[in-house]
Amino acid sequence: MKIKNKSNILEMIESLSKQYGPVCCLSLPFGNKMIIVSGYEAVNELLTCPGMGEDRPPFSQDNPDELLKGLGIIMSSGEQWKEHRKFSLTVLRGFGVGKRSFEDQIATEIAYLMKEIESTQGQPFEPTRLLCNAVSNVICAVVFGKRFEYDDPEFKHLLHWLERTLALDDLVNILYLLMPTFSLYLARIPFFPQGNMSSWRSLRSKLQDIVDEHRRTFDNDNMRDYIDVYLSEMQKKNDQGTQTYLSDVELRAVIQDFFVAGTETTSTTLRFALLYMIKFPDVQKRVQEEIDSVVGRDRLPRLSDKPDLPYTQAVIHEIQRFGSSVFSTLRYAKHDTEFLDFTIPKGSVMQNNLHSATRDASVWEEPDAFKPERFLDDKGQVVKPSQHIVFGAGKRACLGEQLARMEIFICYTHLMHRFSFKKATEGETLDLKPNPAFVLTPSPYNTCAIVR
């Protein structure tokens, strides 16, 4: 079953909240129910609620299909999730992620991106693939210990499978969004449409090949990347007889989480960024003028310039709010919980509409307008309200937030310093409405990059 209008799912969920309020229950086939939470107050409350804010819906650890086990970081809960989150944060910091020393590594990758864009010679091009290549290579360098050439067939396959895993254009994928556990069982029925499940499995198989290669070339005295450190720590704990959730199957799931989450959300934000600069050329011009006045034309922007670029920071905040890429995340009630004016029964699955929190009229004046000035005070200094929760909130806030913020600032400012982005065709109407998937994306568009 193909969805002709991909906005239907997002519109359906948002229309339910308008009709029934910020908390409503959707009855689904086979006795499934989904509690939908919308609006800033309810979403923030859910994300920080001790009884529901930390857990995902349960999966069967005994199931032979890894997709049904709740492995890794994104879909795990409890001690399993805590150990992997703590370990991963430690490893990422050890490799410099979140520190200014990591800036040069990101800037080097963006230099490859700018070279590719410059090669278009001002002719129309679709930026999705190039932005995805650059962002993915940053996380690949940390997790896999290597970057890929943009025309590498292996890299192209990885990114293709990534794109398909997050699509929301057939029945199975929509069922997964609304009934995650049950739909995964449906996908195992012979001849049942596989949707994005086959892409998940293809991606997982390729990542296993990468892990196998690391095992063959492993050197305990030379930790090249996240995989090496994981293998070393897993062996250490096994030798000591220490109880741990670190395992081969978990490693494959964790690096899949890193690859998917570390690529798609950041590259999508940058796609929105270019789209908005084309749509609002006055904003683009003002950003470029501010960067030029602080940085000049002889060097590229650096993180140390950030405090002197308040308008540029405000524009980035507004890009993230207006083009909020995360549509929904799932939570699970471990026990009966009082939530706002409701009692949520134990075992309830909650769908948290994070996108609605970024468009809540009770929080954001003219929420459907692109207004970077909302993030500036009366002195022209940047401010970020606590309601700006594009990376989530609570203990399950995005693990890669620091890396994502670094990448977005460096990539956006470098592109604004080097190019002016324009419509591919004068008079072209640009569609700003996001396409719903597991990550909200802009409709495909072409642009021309003019070297400044």
Side-chain angles (χ1 to χ4, degrees), residues 264-305:
E264 190 64 18
T265 53
T266 300
S267 64
T268 297
T269 298
L270 292 169
R271 287 167 61 193
F272 277 121
L274 296 189
L275 175 62
Y276 300 152
M277 294 306 97
I278 301 166
K279 179 67 174 180
F280 307 107
D282 291 344
V283 173
Q284 180 176 199
K285 182 178 179 181
R286 185 173 168 183
V287 167
Q288 291 170 329
E289 289 174 347
E290 183 180 66
I291 292 174
D292 289 349
S293 68
V294 172
V295 176
R297 301 298 303 155
D298 296 330
R299 68 173 177 88
L300 290 165
R302 296 190 62 84
L303 285 173
S304 57
D305 298 314

Side-chain angles (χ1 to χ4, degrees), residues 143-323:
V143 179
F144 306 151
K146 63 178 291 187
R147 70 173 299 276
F148 294 88
E149 295 298 328
Y150 292 175
D151 59 355
D152 186 316
E154 178 184 7
F155 195 37
K156 289 182 177 180
H157 281 132
L158 283 171
L159 295 177
H160 169 72
W161 290 324
L162 167 62
E163 180 182 358
R164 289 307 309 152
T165 61
L166 298 172
L168 195 61
D169 55 3
D170 59 42
L171 177 61
V172 176
N173 301 348
I174 293 170
L175 285 174
Y176 177 75
L177 182 67
L178 297 176
M179 299 185 295
T181 305
F182 182 74
S183 65
L184 284 170
Y185 280 100
L186 286 179
R188 299 181 63 229
I189 299 174
F191 308 112
F192 191 85
Q194 291 294 294
N196 59 15
M197 298 302 120
S198 59
S199 295
W200 275 114
R201 296 183 179 107
S202 296
L203 177 59
R204 181 184 63 196
S205 176
K206 185 58 190 176
L207 295 178
Q208 181 61 52
D209 292 342
I210 294 174
V211 172
D212 292 341
E213 178 62 24
H214 273 67
R215 282 192 179 278
R216 286 191 292 270
T217 59
F218 180 78
D219 179 356
N220 205 43
D221 295 324
N222 178 27
M223 295 291 100
R224 299 164 295 185
D225 49 38
Y226 180 93
I227 295 176
D228 276 353
V229 178
Y230 192 106
L231 291 173
S232 177
E233 184 68 12
M234 180 174 63
Q235 186 62 52
K236 177 182 175 182
K237 291 195 173 187
N238 288 337
D239 290 345
Q240 294 174 344
T242 305
Q243 183 176 358
T244 180
Y245 284 99
L246 303 186
S247 68
D248 288 342
V249 68
E250 288 281 6
L251 172 58
R252 186 164 55 240
V254 169
I255 63 173
Q256 182 167 285
D257 287 348
F258 274 125
F259 182 69
V260 173
T263 297
E264 190 64 18
T265 53
T266 300
S267 64
T268 297
T269 298
L270 292 169
R271 287 167 61 193
F272 277 121
L274 296 189
L275 175 62
Y276 300 152
M277 294 306 97
I278 301 166
K279 179 67 174 180
F280 307 107
D282 291 344
V283 173
Q284 180 176 199
K285 182 178 179 181
R286 185 173 168 183
V287 167
Q288 291 170 329
E289 289 174 347
E290 183 180 66
I291 292 174
D292 289 349
S293 68
V294 172
V295 176
R297 301 298 303 155
D298 296 330
R299 68 173 177 88
L300 290 165
R302 296 190 62 84
L303 285 173
S304 57
D305 298 314
K306 195 172 182 179
D308 300 318
L309 299 171
Y311 184 73
T312 301
Q313 289 190 68
V315 171
I316 291 174
H317 288 330
E318 181 68 346
I319 289 167
Q320 292 175 308
R321 184 202 69 85
F322 196 72

